[in-house]
Amino acid sequence: MGTTIRKTKISVRNIGAVCWKQVKDTFKNKAIFIQFVMFPLMAFLMENAVIMDDMPKHFFVKLFSSMYIGMAPLVAMSAVLAEEKEEGTLKMLMMSDVKPIEYLLGVGGYIWAICMAGTFALGALGEYQGEELVAFLSIMAIGIIASLLIGAAIGTWSKNQMMATSLCVPVMMVFSFLPMLSMFNETIRKMARVAYSEQISIVINRLGEEGQYIKSESIVIILINIAIAATLFGWTYRKGGLSS
């Protein structure tokens, strides 16, 4: 007896259409748009407004970079999914032959790209060049993926925007504020080491130092965080799917 293997074809055209839809929706939804520009703008203002003799070089760029990772992609992804579920847009897209994987790639790819644009702005403010710039962009790119997966899990689990906000706010506050709080408290620093945003903060603060500034511990912890986030998203998707 033969075995039939069903192959799922991914349409680049559908992914592009979902991406373009998100581009137009971003400028309509100011609450989401501000997530992408808030931290680069705050870093620019604070870098030029606060000058102290004992302050580390580009202190605010490093601080806001790790906070940016823990907030912007996570909030944006959960908000987009929850909003479109509540408005019935997702159900319409599924009926229009857009596959769930195409939708997720379109939305996630767009948010990842626009967050990377903000990362480039932060990199320019931090005056990173050459190898340091590549390391900065790379570690931020990986962190954005982790946050996107967490945001996708929250958005998939939520039935409406209010529920998504209720779930997203405490999670976002943990990942975005842990790097800042760990600077001032040793106990928090020890606990925060298991979070990907804290490890990204550690790597960013090591940039410019001599020797290996990306330790294997940071990579392992970040990858474990991504694996947990992917598993959580997979579980929420199996429970309810996107359009329910």
Side-chain angles (χ1 to χ4, degrees):
M1 183 181 292
T3 302
T4 302
I5 299 175
R6 184 178 178 182
K7 295 182 179 180
T8 302
K9 293 182 179 179
I10 296 176
S11 170
V12 176
R13 182 177 180 179
N14 285 349
I15 295 172
V18 172
C19 260
W20 180 241
K21 177 184 179 301
Q22 295 308 315
V23 172
K24 293 187 290 184
D25 288 350
T26 296
F27 293 99
K28 295 178 185 178
N29 193 330
K30 301 298 187 295
I32 294 178
F33 178 73
I34 198 171
Q35 297 293 329
F36 301 129
V37 301
M38 179 172 63
F39 284 109
L41 181 60
M42 287 175 62
F44 173 78
L45 293 174
M46 296 299 285
E47 283 280 324
N48 290 279
V50 180
I51 300 174
M52 298 175 63
D53 294 335
D54 57 346
M55 182 178 292
K57 186 178 181 182
H58 298 306
F59 172 80
F60 290 108
V61 168
K62 296 174 181 178
L63 173 63
F64 290 134
S65 291
S66 55
M67 294 181 73
Y68 183 61
I69 285 295
M71 184 178 293
L74 194 158
V75 172
M77 190 70 178
S78 63
V80 168
L81 287 178
E83 180 181 3
E84 298 200 338
K85 283 177 70 175
E86 185 175 0
E87 294 178 354
T89 309
L90 271 176
K91 193 169 290 186
M92 291 176 60
L93 285 170
M94 300 302 119
M95 292 173 64
S96 301
D97 210 23
V98 175
K99 299 178 180 66
I101 185 63
E102 293 169 348
Y103 175 79
L104 290 169
L105 287 173
V107 174
Y110 166 70
I111 295 175
W112 184 87
I114 200 168
C115 284
M116 284 304 296
T119 298
F120 272 103
L122 288 166
L125 285 171
E127 298 182 309
Y128 295 114
Q129 295 180 354
E131 183 182 336
E132 288 181 10
L133 178 60
V134 173
F136 176 77
L137 295 175
S138 299
I139 198 67
M140 292 285 284
I142 295 171
I144 292 169
I145 292 173
S147 286
L148 285 174
L149 287 169
I150 297 171
I154 293 173
T156 303
W157 180 257
S158 303
K159 296 180 179 179
N160 51 53
Q161 294 179 69
M162 184 176 295
M163 183 176 177
T165 301
S166 298
L167 293 173
C168 186
V169 168
V171 175
M172 170 268 292
M173 290 185 69
V174 168
F175 287 115
S176 61
F177 285 98
L178 268 181
M180 179 181 67
L181 295 175
S182 66
M183 294 180 182
F184 308 105
N185 188 289
E186 181 64 27
T187 302
I188 294 177
R189 186 181 302 119
K190 290 178 180 178
M191 293 189 298
R193 293 186 74 86
V194 300
Y196 69 98
S197 55
E198 171 66 7
Q199 291 300 325
I200 288 171
S201 176
I202 290 171
V203 172
I204 290 173
N205 279 285
R206 285 178 181 157
L207 291 177
E209 296 179 1
E210 293 185 4
Q212 185 181 6
Y213 39 75
I214 302 180
K215 306 292 186 181
S216 58
E217 177 192 11
S218 295
I219 299 299
V220 169
I221 291 175
I222 292 170
L223 290 178
I224 290 173
N225 274 245
I226 291 175
I228 292 172
T231 302
L232 181 61
F233 167 70
W235 180 78
T236 57
Y237 180 77
R238 286 194 299 272
K239 283 289 183 180
L242 289 179
S243 57
S244 61

